[in-house]
Amino acid sequence: MLWCLIKTWVGKEEGLVEEIRRTVPLHMYEECFVIYQERIWRRQQRSIVHMESLFPGCAFLTCKDPESVYTRLSQVPAVSRLVNCKNVTILPMIKEDADFLEKISGEDHVVRLSYVLKDEQGQICKMTDPLRSCEGQIERYQFKKRYAMVRHRLWGEDRAIAMGIILKEDAEKKLLYENMEVSVEVPR
């Protein structure tokens, strides 16, 4: 399957995905989705997990023949209007970009929190996927804000990607996760 990047206005990506799912026959594509990520907000000594778009303004489509999907989309009034006004751009992606996104987001297209463990000196001694798969590309950690900044070449340019992390103190307490208390098991 080939991956295509669909660029649109920030905040309009989910609506575009719904429009494509509603108007393009399923036999023309495999999936149309937005890649989300889990992130932690720290409020009043509590860790609150929320979901946000990993690439605001971007949706993704997998298909065998991007040209036929593009032709079909140009026939859908709601989408063709956006394409003609340059509010939507559909670009085929190279295999390396698709492989990277698939590796970090999995089948559910959500970049999960990575567990990061520091030793007594404050050095990283352990981390889990998806961050572990980007280990050589980590530029810095923001422990207070619970993310790691990863530098990766994507869509022909170097991009900084913030990936959410969970620390030992978060895992030892209960996380507020979509308004539910959830215990997190600390990886060994």
Side-chain angles (χ1 to χ4, degrees):
M1 273 305 138
L2 298 173
W3 279 49
C4 294
L5 166 65
I6 307 171
K7 295 182 99 176
T8 187
W9 292 103
V10 173
K12 301 290 185 188
E13 51 281 285
E14 197 61 53
L16 180 62
V17 166
E18 289 306 314
E19 186 70 32
I20 290 169
R21 288 178 181 162
R22 208 176 66 241
T23 57
V24 176
L26 255 176
H27 70 274
M28 296 183 80
Y29 70 97
E30 187 174 283
E31 288 184 284
C32 189
F33 53 91
V34 174
I35 297 178
Y36 288 99
Q37 68 171 326
E38 294 179 335
R39 291 289 297 271
I40 291 182
W41 284 326
R42 294 284 298 158
R43 286 200 190 125
Q44 299 173 343
Q45 310 300 315
R46 301 211 42 182
S47 298
I48 303 166
V49 180
H50 72 282
M51 300 287 266
E52 61 185 49
S53 177
L54 183 62
F55 303 107
C58 296
F60 300 88
L61 182 103
T62 60
C63 62
K64 289 183 179 174
D65 182 14
E67 199 59 45
S68 66
V69 173
Y70 184 79
T71 301
R72 175 68 178 134
L73 286 174
S74 64
Q75 296 167 353
V76 176
V79 178
S80 68
R81 210 174 13 255
L82 294 171
V83 171
N84 291 338
C85 295
K86 306 279 190 253
N87 292 338
V88 170
T89 308
I90 302 171
L91 306 165
M93 291 175 48
I94 61 172
K95 184 173 177 8
E96 291 80 12
D97 290 352
D99 290 347
F100 172 74
L101 294 177
E102 202 164 30
K103 180 172 60 171
I104 66 169
S105 69
E107 290 182 12
D108 60 353
H109 310 297
V110 175
V111 180
R112 301 289 174 193
L113 294 170
S114 297
Y115 179 73
V116 174
L117 182 63
K118 300 185 284 183
D119 61 19
E120 292 79 32
Q121 290 78 36
Q123 300 298 313
I124 305 301
C125 61
K126 183 175 189 166
M127 75 178 75
T128 63
D129 279 330
L131 191 59
R132 181 176 48 201
S133 65
C134 305
E135 193 168 358
Q137 301 169 306
I138 299 170
E139 285 188 335
R140 71 179 187 280
Y141 291 93
Q142 286 286 81
F143 295 114
K144 187 175 181 176
K145 294 187 177 183
R146 303 299 197 266
Y147 72 86
M149 190 61 71
V150 173
R151 176 76 52 190
H152 185 80
R153 187 152 187 84
L154 196 58
W155 306 312
E157 60 186 51
D158 281 344
R159 293 179 111 31
I161 304 168
M163 295 174 68
I165 60 174
I166 185 169
L167 302 176
K168 185 176 181 180
E169 56 263 30
D170 299 319
E172 290 172 346
K173 297 178 183 177
K174 290 188 184 259
L175 293 172
L176 189 60
Y177 205 114
E178 294 184 11
N179 299 325
M180 297 182 341
E181 295 279 337
V182 177
S183 294
V184 176
E185 187 175 318
V186 177
R188 304 203 189 286

